[in-house]
Amino acid sequence: MGVEQLLSSYRAIPADATVRLAKKTSNLFRKRAASNAPGLDVSGLARVISVNPQDGTADVAGMTTYEDLVDATLPYGLAPLVVPQLKTITLGGAVTGLGIESTSFRSGLPHESVLEMDILTGSGDIVTATPDGENAELYWGFPNSYGTLGYATRLKIRLEPVLPYVALRHVRFDDLDTMQAAMDRIATDREYDGIAVHYLDGVVFSETESYLTLGVQTAQEGPVSEYHSGSEIYYRSIQQKTTDRLTIHDYLWRWDTDWFWCSRAFGTQNPKIRRFWPTKYRRSSFYWKLIGLDQKYDIADRLEARKGNPPRERVVQDIEVPIENTAAFLHWFLDEIPIEPLWLCPLRLREPAPPGADAARPWPLYPLEPKKTYVNVGFWSSVPIVPGAPDGAANRAIEKKVTDFGGHKSLYSEAFYTEDEFAALYGGAKFEELKKRYDPDSRLLDMYSKAVQRK
């Protein structure tokens, strides 16, 4: 039914109009040009089709949120290999874009757990893509294409067994170079002090205060912390506790309640306000609505103007650099960009790779090298605009520094690359090949137009 609705809506879009999703919500931070053309009806593609506990897989419609997917798999003692931090991220979105979390040092990125997927291409056909089948090129090229090659209608993914609880250890470091070395060892060895590590991420509060959080699955009963409805805030607990315990459900969504630390912009972390802020509105999807109002009415800039302050540039990015360059990037960032805290999440491509993988760079539109550790650095805030500075000055500086350090950045937010720079970083020649095969009439936007020109 959902697929028929989708195809019907595709046929209703004028041949000269760009095909887009008819979505009311998004996890993208970059603006795009307004369009009055009808969009693709994906309302019937938001469900878990089946969970198979015998072989540890799930069939999932493309617009299913990870919140719904986790609710369907946890009763079987299973979870997706990588569960992105925010509940309303969809499985299709995490695959055609990028998702990451604290299992990524051992399980890679969400698209690496996909066994097969049905994709509505720009030509209006639904094809099945597998690692070594007829549409293998689309399978490998689909991740990081952001809807420019098509939209996933169904995905079959691998699941992994999980235990009911996660025991946490917060390890403090007083300098970034020592923290980098420890993260490199843990990501490679998957252990710390002789104990297996199942989850690994970190937070940088300053050059002299950073933490790695090590998570270990356990079935042992005992008291647990609860950061959703109470007064405590998860990211502050990292500074206050050396150990902690959460249910597996609450661990997976530990960042969503306060959108990492971004809820402070709305006053939610103020104890006087938090006491009266309804629990059901302590989630990223509600903060998104507040962000939408701000973007529509320039509320934040108006408030700054009343205080006599300049408008602010939004700096909302996730970047990846090779682990050996992580401390150097962090030193530069903390010296130049007045934003803290910063989130750290190491990742390595999953091993072994599926059959048919390119041994050097299996995912051409976001090329990462096998057997190499990278670190995602996430920062989500704003900085004062310096009078006379070019548009996006802080973001441009970050973009250049990331490239200098041999890294990439996710494309959910603003980008300022030239076309040649963009093509070199995001698989330009391979993308053009795929575009000609699966969207020969350019019904969908191309990558540069969508991610940089924001059409």
Side-chain angles (χ1 to χ4, degrees):
M1 184 67 173
V3 172
E4 287 304 316
Q5 287 178 323
L6 179 72
L7 291 172
S8 178
S9 63
Y10 176 91
R11 299 183 192 108
I13 297 174
D16 59 349
T18 300
V19 175
R20 303 180 188 271
L21 293 183
K23 281 181 65 181
K24 294 182 179 180
T25 61
S26 171
N27 283 291
L28 296 180
F29 270 91
R30 48 179 159 80
K31 294 181 179 179
R32 70 182 187 186
S35 173
N36 294 322
L40 293 175
D41 181 359
V42 292
S43 60
L45 298 177
R47 66 189 182 92
V48 177
I49 300 167
S50 65
V51 176
N52 188 330
Q54 281 72 43
D55 68 2
T57 63
D59 266 287
V60 186
M63 295 302 297
T64 305
T65 66
Y66 272 92
E67 180 176 25
D68 290 341
L69 178 54
V70 165
D71 284 349
T73 62
L74 281 187
Y76 296 101
L78 298 169
L81 272 60
V82 180
V83 179
Q85 317 91 331
L86 306 181
K87 292 178 177 179
T88 54
I89 292 175
T90 64
L91 183 60
V95 171
T96 193
L98 291 178
I100 191 169
E101 237 297 325
S102 58
T103 55
S104 289
F105 76 103
R106 59 181 175 84
S107 294
L109 301 172
H111 55 262
E112 296 186 73
S113 63
V114 175
L115 299 169
E116 65 179 35
M117 50 188 158
D118 295 340
I119 298 171
L120 172 67
T121 66
S123 59
D125 301 315
I126 292 182
V127 302
T128 299
T130 59
D132 53 359
E134 178 184 358
N135 297 292
E137 280 193 317
L138 183 60
Y139 173 91
W140 295 105
F142 192 70
N144 207 49
S145 61
Y146 283 91
T148 60
L149 296 174
Y151 298 99
T153 62
R154 179 193 65 88
L155 305 98
K156 184 176 183 179
I157 64 168
R158 241 183 227 99
L159 304 172
E160 68 175 5
V162 292
L163 296 175
Y165 304 100
V166 179
L168 301 181
R169 179 177 177 183
H170 306 304
V171 183
R172 175 171 175 160
F173 297 88
D174 298 326
D175 73 89
L176 297 173
D177 294 277
T178 303
M179 182 273 296
Q180 173 188 295
M183 181 164 48
D184 195 5
R185 287 195 302 273
I186 298 167
T188 303
D189 298 341
R190 301 187 185 181
E191 66 172 31
Y192 183 78
D193 283 351
I195 299 174
V197 174
H198 303 136
Y199 303 98
L200 174 63
D201 65 350
V203 178
V204 176
F205 290 93
S206 71
E207 293 201 51
T208 58
E209 185 186 7
S210 60
Y211 299 83
L212 294 179
T213 294
L214 321 179
V216 178
Q217 293 184 31
T218 176
Q220 183 177 349
E221 298 286 343
V224 293
S225 297
E226 202 283 314
Y227 296 101
H228 176 57
S229 59
S231 60
E232 288 189 288
I233 299 166
Y234 174 71
Y235 86 97
R236 287 300 181 195
S237 75
I238 294 172
Q239 296 174 292
Q240 299 159 355
K241 303 177 180 180
T242 55
T243 61
D244 205 350
R245 277 171 52 90
L246 298 171
T247 66
I248 180 64
H249 177 275
D250 286 358
Y251 176 79
L252 294 176
W253 302 127
R254 69 202 182 285
W255 292 121
D256 188 84
T257 299
D258 284 288
W259 205 354
F260 284 83
W261 32 81
C262 297
S263 67
R264 64 187 177 184
F266 312 114
T268 317
Q269 295 180 26
N270 182 322
K272 295 180 180 178
I273 296 175
R274 195 175 188 85
R275 187 179 304 120
F276 298 103
W277 193 287
T279 300
K280 66 180 179 179
Y281 295 137
R282 292 187 196 175
R283 52 184 288 138
S284 60
S285 57
F286 182 72
Y287 304 138
W288 259 114
K289 294 178 181 178
L290 299 181
I291 289 286
L293 290 173
D294 176 54
Q295 291 177 343
K296 185 175 181 178
Y297 298 109
D298 292 326
I299 296 171
D301 283 347
R302 290 172 186 268
L303 292 175
E304 291 295 325
R306 286 187 180 183
K307 299 174 187 176
N309 297 330
R312 300 179 68 86
E313 176 186 350
R314 187 175 57 197
V315 181
V316 179
Q317 303 282 353
D318 277 82
I319 65 94
E320 259 107 44
V321 291
I323 195 163
E324 63 269 21
N325 294 334
T326 302
F329 175 79
L330 292 171
H331 282 298
W332 173 85
F333 188 97
L334 293 168
D335 286 343
E336 299 293 331
I337 309 295
I339 290 176
E340 54 74 31
L342 310 176
W343 184 57
L344 306 179
C345 189
L347 71 139
R348 293 170 63 93
L349 291 183
R350 190 167 181 269
E351 298 179 41
D358 184 310
R361 291 190 170 185
W363 309 98
L365 269 59
Y366 200 82
L368 300 172
E369 296 179 26
K371 303 184 184 301
K372 183 177 179 67
T373 303
Y374 298 81
V375 177
N376 176 282
V377 184
F379 36 91
W380 315 288
S381 190
S382 62
V383 299
I385 293 176
V386 177
D391 176 51
N395 282 285
R396 291 175 189 271
I398 293 166
E399 201 168 80
K400 181 180 184 305
K401 188 58 65 173
V402 170
T403 301
D404 290 345
F405 280 127
H408 294 77
K409 72 176 191 179
S410 299
L411 298 173
Y412 67 81
S413 194
E414 287 88 353
F416 299 89
Y417 299 109
T418 66
E419 288 194 62
D420 288 343
E421 290 170 336
F422 188 85
L425 289 168
Y426 299 101
K430 175 55 70 173
F431 174 75
E432 292 303 324
E433 290 177 22
L434 291 167
K435 193 72 169 170
K436 288 177 183 176
R437 179 175 176 183
Y438 292 100
D439 186 23
D441 298 323
S442 297
R443 298 296 310 278
L444 306 168
L445 288 172
D446 66 78
M447 279 270 284
Y448 189 75
S449 296
K450 191 165 191 176
V452 181
Q453 296 175 325
R454 297 183 279 281
K455 290 183 177 179

